Amino acid sequence: MNGVLRKRLPRELRSGFGRYLALMLLIVMGIYLVVGIVGSAEMIMQGTENKRSVNKVEDGQFTVFLPLTEEEISDISEGGTVIEPHFSLDLKAEEGSVLRMFETRNDIDLIQLDSGRLAENRGEAVIEKGYAKAHDLGIGDKVKAADTEFEITGIGSVPDYDQMIASFADTAVEHSGFGLIFVTPEQYAFIRDNTTQKAEEYTYAYRLGDGVTDSDLKDKIKSLKFDCTKVDNKYFRESIDEALQQRSQIEQGLGMLAAAGQTELADSLTELVNKNFNIDIHNLTSFIEAKDNTRIEAASGDMVMDKSAGLVAGVIVLILFAYVISVFVVHQIEREQSVIGSLYALGVKKNDLLRHYITLPTVVAFVGGVIGAALGFSPLGVDMQAQDAYAYFSVPEYDMIFPPYLVIYAVVLPPLICAVVNAIFINKKLNRTALSLIKNEQSAGSYRQVNIKTRSFTKLFAIRQLMRESRSAIAVTLGMLVSLLVVMLGFNTFILCTKVKENNVADTKYEYMYLYKYPEKTVPEGGEGAYIETLSTDCMGYTLDVSVIGLEGESRYFSARPEKGKTRAVINNSLAERYGYKKGDRVIFTDAAADTDYCFTVTDVVQYSPGFTIFMDIDSMRELFGQEEGYFNAVYSDKALDIDEGRLYSVTTKEDIRKSAGVFIDMMTSLIAILFSAGIVIFCVVMYLMLGVMIDRSAMGISLIKIFGYRPKEIRQLYLNGNLAVIAIGGIVTVPIAKFLMDRLYPSFIPNVACTMELSFPWYMYLMIWCAMMIVYLVINKLLMRRINRISPAEILKDRE
């Protein structure tokens, strides 16, 4: 008998080929979606982890105002800690771009070459791969920076600039405008000593010794004092000489007080001066652990969003599998009740029937999972999804990996879910007697009797039919909701990237921002002075920068109007949207270098999209951070200013903001495309399968009215018009629900990005989605009419005794 049952499988596949094909397509697209997204994320995350030891990735870095001596480096390197200088100079290069020049590294954050070799002679350089690609540079080509021509001997990347941003305050990468160049120590020293460029940055990378913590190292650095009078920098010397002159004047005044007999007062003032006016200063300006450095392992961190999105989509897909298969199986068993009853009566065992009806859908699910996995791990899946990360971040290309849990998800779970769901529902159906199954007895429908006031038989019948199939209608609506979640995930990604692009540009009112290392005494003519500090905040385990901007009076470039007070601040809308802060709340941000927390009361929320930003009154901010009256370190302007570049850390233009703002949408294009395409296909397949089941369940009724002479148009009005109402009303309900649910989930996908969280749709987007759903329904409706036309009038006679 088992042989007879096996012979039925090919015939069953042929007769239900369309349904099984749709089911397989659903599984293929679902698995492809998850494997493509999660597989590419795992490849980059695990590849990054594997490269840590190879490239000797730093445990952290710190920046000082003045270089350390060899003796000082030796003092803080006790315990096996390795410290390497990573000093840098920003050089003007082609087309207004900037190349940050380093010496070739020896101990920490080693260069990963894609091609070529390291620089060995003067005039040679290794160039960062993103900049090389943006400027179409290759091995042997020349690049000019700081009036020096370099021959490119190598192209590669370094792990401490995984995300190629010039400063931590930058919101996005723009390869054509910023890159890295690595030269010999002799070449670096020559350019530093003979070229007027922006101020040199004194950064040190470290790898901790056994038993040494980041806090231990920071305490050692902070315990050092540096003799500023020995520094040979003309801008810094100006400040020191002025400070020494002021101190000399104060000491003269104190001497006069002592001579006049005011010894106690003079001693007290001397102690105060020594405490707050000490020329031997602590000069640690920043201390950043690797886990808090947005440049390090940024690609891996960004893949957390892709992995989260993929896993959420995976859960949705699994729920969808179970749901669709359950409906599919119930319908299959109900359609073959008389056959099952006959086989029962012939002595076929229940377990044999169970295996028989489980086999075909389980094989289909397995084949669909294998095809989906093959597509997901192919260049159309993982590789295509990873290309955006390779284009945006500066990382080597990693080897393909096959995470065991993802292989199990793709190949094992679909047939397993199918087998379990089938077993549950088939076992329930097979608990009935053989006679009941042979007679094809149907359970009485339990729906409320409603007095429908209409004289139209067609409308009355359609409403009654819809009420009889209310459970199926609910099932269709739930299927729409689940598949819409995948589509909404793609929409939210698109909307977020678009809003970031639009708002960052619109909210940037200045044309130039100059950030000083050695500020002048007065703000250059035509500029607006400001004071900027950087704090940090935690977001789901990630440390994100918060810019504190001190403004004087009414700014021309910012709408914030901060009140006086060291604990009063205006926050931007990005912080408000991400954390839910509002006026009157108390917020806390951290200065990691100083191990200090700052608490502020929110006095207002203003529109300013770039990054996380708070605004303070500049005098209050100077007092809070211990700066002298009149101090500023940033200037905003609507035109280029004549500022000596040796005083500057960086110059940011509105054009830089415009270029970087567009990178988000470019970076996420493939993710958006795969979510949209897979979501739409899944939606169409689910709707086709579920509505098809509703038609099949009504096959007896359709057969009967065909006997009575009803025409196809009339049959469509009786059996399909009710479905139109289900889809129309269901769409009105499920679209906003899917949007609401995804809006609540979405911030957890991008915890490592400091940006606006504006996800709202304009009203017409809801209408467009609803209209698209109706168009899909109309297309499926045509296909369903073909199925109705194939129902024979003799169908009703087959089920009569």
Side-chain angles (χ1 to χ4, degrees):
M1 186 57 70
N2 286 330
V4 174
L5 291 176
R6 282 195 294 271
K7 290 180 180 179
R8 291 189 73 245
L9 293 177
R11 294 198 297 270
E12 186 178 328
L13 178 61
R14 285 195 299 270
S15 63
F17 183 76
R19 292 191 299 273
Y20 283 112
L21 181 62
L23 178 63
M24 183 183 292
L25 182 59
L26 172 65
I27 295 172
V28 168
M29 291 306 299
I31 296 299
Y32 165 72
L33 170 71
V34 176
V35 170
I37 295 175
V38 178
S40 63
E42 286 286 6
M43 180 177 69
I44 290 175
M45 292 168 70
Q46 292 189 30
T48 300
E49 185 174 352
N50 294 337
K51 288 290 185 182
R52 282 181 192 158
S53 58
V54 175
N55 295 328
K56 298 183 179 180
V57 179
E58 67 184 50
D59 290 324
Q61 61 179 242
F62 60 90
T63 303
V64 292
F65 202 76
L66 303 169
L68 306 181
T69 65
E70 291 295 331
E71 182 181 354
E72 290 162 344
I73 292 177
S74 178
D75 288 342
I76 64 176
S77 297
E78 294 176 354
T81 297
V82 178
I83 296 176
E84 183 177 46
H86 284 181
F87 296 174
S88 64
L89 280 169
D90 283 357
L91 311 180
K92 282 187 176 179
E94 301 170 346
E95 302 172 1
S97 61
V98 172
L99 278 172
R100 182 163 292 171
M101 181 178 66
F102 293 89
E103 295 180 12
T104 300
R105 281 87 178 270
N106 299 311
D107 300 314
I108 303 175
D109 296 330
L110 304 183
I111 301 171
Q112 176 76 45
L113 288 173
D114 287 358
S115 59
R117 60 172 176 82
L118 298 177
E120 299 172 353
N121 305 299
R122 284 181 58 173
E124 296 181 343
V126 171
I127 196 165
E128 184 271 324
K129 61 187 298 183
Y131 186 91
K133 184 177 180 180
H135 292 268
D136 196 23
L137 298 172
I139 302 296
D141 289 343
K142 307 285 187 179
V143 62
K144 190 173 183 181
D147 299 322
T148 303
E149 191 171 68
F150 301 93
E151 179 182 351
I152 298 173
T153 62
I155 296 174
S157 57
V158 286
D160 57 321
Y161 276 84
D162 186 320
Q163 181 170 221
M164 283 296 304
I165 51 176
S167 74
F168 293 117
D170 291 346
T171 56
V173 172
E174 211 289 295
H175 286 296
S176 64
F178 176 72
L180 307 180
I181 191 170
F182 297 88
V183 299
T184 63
E186 297 76 18
Q187 179 77 78
Y188 182 91
F190 177 80
I191 294 177
R192 178 195 60 203
D193 297 338
N194 294 277
T195 306
T196 302
Q197 295 288 331
K198 295 182 180 68
E200 186 176 14
E201 183 85 355
Y202 304 122
T203 298
Y204 294 83
Y206 65 83
R207 286 171 62 88
L208 297 170
D210 293 338
V212 181
T213 66
D214 296 278
S215 297
D216 294 337
L217 178 61
K218 186 193 292 187
D219 290 340
K220 288 181 180 179
I221 298 169
K222 293 171 70 174
S223 69
L224 298 176
K225 290 187 176 181
F226 307 92
D227 186 357
C228 300
T229 61
K230 297 181 180 180
V231 177
D232 185 20
N233 181 288
K234 65 176 182 178
Y235 304 110
F236 189 71
R237 287 296 314 166
E238 290 176 4
S239 301
I240 294 301
D241 290 344
E242 183 177 346
L244 288 171
Q245 185 178 2
Q246 291 175 359
R247 177 164 183 155
S248 176
Q249 294 173 352
I250 292 173
E251 288 175 341
Q252 290 178 14
L254 291 174
M256 294 173 63
L257 280 175
Q262 301 291 330
T263 306
E264 185 175 344
L265 177 60
D267 290 344
S268 177
L269 290 175
T270 300
E271 183 180 352
L272 184 64
V273 169
N274 287 336
K275 181 179 180 182
N276 296 289
F277 205 98
N278 196 343
I279 300 303
D280 291 331
I281 62 170
H282 305 285
N283 74 347
L284 182 65
T285 59
S286 72
F287 188 96
I288 305 173
E289 298 177 30
K291 64 183 178 61
D292 298 329
N293 191 331
T294 55
R295 292 189 185 119
I296 295 177
E297 299 188 358
S300 178
D302 186 75
M303 289 299 107
V304 170
M305 173 189 171
D306 282 24
K307 184 177 178 179
S308 298
L311 292 176
V312 169
V315 172
I316 294 171
V317 167
L318 287 180
I319 294 171
L320 206 55
F321 286 169
Y323 158 74
V324 171
I325 289 170
S326 67
V327 176
F328 189 85
V329 170
V330 169
H331 168 64
Q332 178 79 358
I333 298 301
E334 288 180 347
R335 191 164 58 89
E336 296 210 354
Q337 285 187 122
S338 58
V339 175
I340 295 171
S342 299
L343 292 171
Y344 247 174
L346 291 173
V348 178
K349 301 296 184 183
K350 179 180 176 180
N351 289 338
D352 293 335
L353 286 172
L354 191 61
R355 283 194 297 271
H356 170 71
Y357 282 101
I358 284 176
T359 300
L360 187 55
T362 301
V363 169
V364 169
F366 174 75
V367 173
V370 171
I371 295 174
L375 288 174
F377 284 115
S378 75
L380 295 175
V382 168
D383 286 351
M384 185 179 74
Q385 183 62 27
Q387 289 310 307
D388 286 338
Y390 287 139
Y392 183 78
F393 296 102
S394 184
V395 294
E397 292 199 10
Y398 300 115
D399 296 332
M400 172 71 76
I401 62 169
F402 300 89
Y405 79 91
L406 200 55
V407 175
I408 292 172
Y409 175 93
V411 179
V412 177
L413 281 185
L416 179 62
I417 290 174
C418 187
V420 170
V421 172
N422 270 275
I424 293 172
F425 284 95
I426 293 174
N427 188 64
K428 181 180 178 182
K429 289 291 182 182
L430 293 181
N431 284 333
R432 293 166 58 183
T433 65
L435 182 60
S436 173
L437 292 168
I438 291 172
K439 293 171 66 176
N440 200 11
E441 293 178 352
Q442 303 291 331
S443 59
S446 57
Y447 59 91
R448 298 178 63 183
Q449 298 295 322
V450 179
N451 185 19
I452 303 171
K453 296 181 179 180
T454 178
R455 294 183 179 181
S456 171
F457 171 75
T458 301
K459 290 182 180 179
L460 180 63
F461 186 94
I463 294 172
R464 292 290 186 189
Q465 171 66 15
L466 183 58
M467 293 176 65
R468 281 191 294 270
E469 294 291 342
S470 58
R471 292 178 61 184
S472 297
I474 293 172
V476 170
T477 304
L478 290 176
M480 290 165 55
L481 174 61
V482 174
S483 54
L484 274 173
L485 287 172
V486 178
V487 177
M488 284 301 176
L489 183 56
F491 265 112
N492 273 10
T493 303
F494 175 76
I495 289 294
L496 178 75
C497 295
T498 302
K499 291 293 185 181
V500 168
K501 178 179 180 180
E502 294 174 352
N503 293 341
N504 281 14
V505 175
D507 293 342
T508 302
K509 307 298 183 183
Y510 59 84
E511 293 294 331
Y512 294 87
M513 184 190 79
Y514 299 89
L515 188 62
Y516 283 84
K517 182 172 185 178
Y518 303 108
E520 301 173 87
K521 290 302 176 185
T522 59
V523 177
E525 185 178 353
E528 180 180 296
Y531 175 26
I532 297 180
E533 291 282 355
T534 300
L535 302 180
S536 62
T537 187
D538 179 78
C539 183
M540 301 181 189
Y542 290 88
T543 300
L544 303 179
D545 284 347
V546 178
S547 297
V548 187
I549 303 179
L551 302 177
E552 187 167 11
E554 292 192 5
S555 171
R556 290 177 287 169
Y557 306 109
F558 302 97
S559 60
R561 299 294 180 262
E563 301 175 6
K564 289 188 176 296
K566 292 190 294 182
T567 61
R568 303 179 72 78
V570 175
I571 67 172
N572 71 333
N573 60 297
S574 297
L575 276 169
E577 291 164 359
R578 178 63 66 90
Y579 295 96
Y581 296 148
K582 58 184 182 299
K583 187 174 180 179
D585 286 352
R586 295 173 67 83
V587 297
I588 297 176
F589 303 114
T590 302
D591 182 346
D595 286 330
T596 305
D597 289 338
Y598 294 91
C599 181
F600 303 95
T601 298
V602 178
T603 59
D604 197 8
V605 178
V606 296
Q607 175 65 35
Y608 184 68
S609 182
F612 290 164
T613 309
I614 68 173
F615 301 92
M616 292 184 66
D617 169 71
I618 193 169
D619 290 328
S620 301
M621 185 173 169
R622 289 165 180 155
E623 184 180 357
L624 177 65
F625 290 98
Q627 294 293 351
E628 62 186 9
E629 183 179 353
Y631 177 82
F632 68 94
N633 61 359
V635 170
Y636 298 94
S637 174
D638 54 9
K639 62 181 180 181
L641 302 177
D642 184 16
I643 300 176
D644 192 333
E645 289 190 349
R647 291 186 175 274
L648 299 174
Y649 271 128
S650 63
V651 180
T652 303
T653 68
K654 187 168 184 176
E655 184 60 27
D656 295 333
I657 301 294
R658 182 176 289 107
K659 288 179 180 179
S660 64
V663 170
F664 283 103
I665 192 72
D666 296 335
M667 175 186 171
M668 302 304 294
T669 297
S670 66
L671 177 62
I672 295 170
I674 194 173
L675 287 171
F676 274 160
S677 57
I680 291 169
V681 170
I682 290 172
F683 178 84
C684 294
V685 172
V686 168
M687 187 179 290
Y688 175 78
L689 284 174
M690 296 301 98
L691 293 178
V693 165
M694 292 175 69
I695 294 299
D696 289 346
R697 286 167 59 90
S698 302
M700 289 174 57
I702 295 172
S703 176
L704 183 61
I705 65 172
K706 281 190 173 184
I707 292 176
F708 292 152
Y710 280 79
R711 294 186 296 272
K713 180 180 178 181
E714 294 169 325
I715 295 175
R716 183 178 67 248
Q717 292 174 339
L718 294 173
Y719 284 94
L720 295 183
N721 284 1
N723 292 345
L724 175 62
V726 170
I727 302 303
I729 297 173
I732 293 173
V733 173
T734 56
V735 170
I737 290 177
K739 173 64 175 165
F740 174 81
L741 293 175
M742 194 49 62
D743 284 356
R744 302 286 79 75
L745 285 171
Y746 199 82
S748 64
F749 298 157
I750 51 171
N752 59 326
V753 181
C755 68
T756 182
M757 194 56 62
E758 189 175 345
L759 301 172
S760 59
F761 283 180
W763 65 268
Y764 58 82
M765 287 290 289
Y766 292 95
L767 180 61
M768 288 174 59
I769 295 172
W770 183 84
C771 290
M773 293 171 62
M774 299 311 298
I775 291 173
V776 169
Y777 168 75
L778 293 175
V779 173
I780 292 175
N781 197 47
K782 294 290 186 184
L783 299 177
L784 293 177
M785 274 306 300
R786 295 173 58 186
R787 182 177 292 189
I788 288 175
N789 292 336
R790 288 198 299 267
I791 296 176
S792 169
E795 192 78 24
I796 186 66
L797 301 177
K798 295 178 182 179
D799 293 308
R800 298 301 90 200
E801 294 184 41

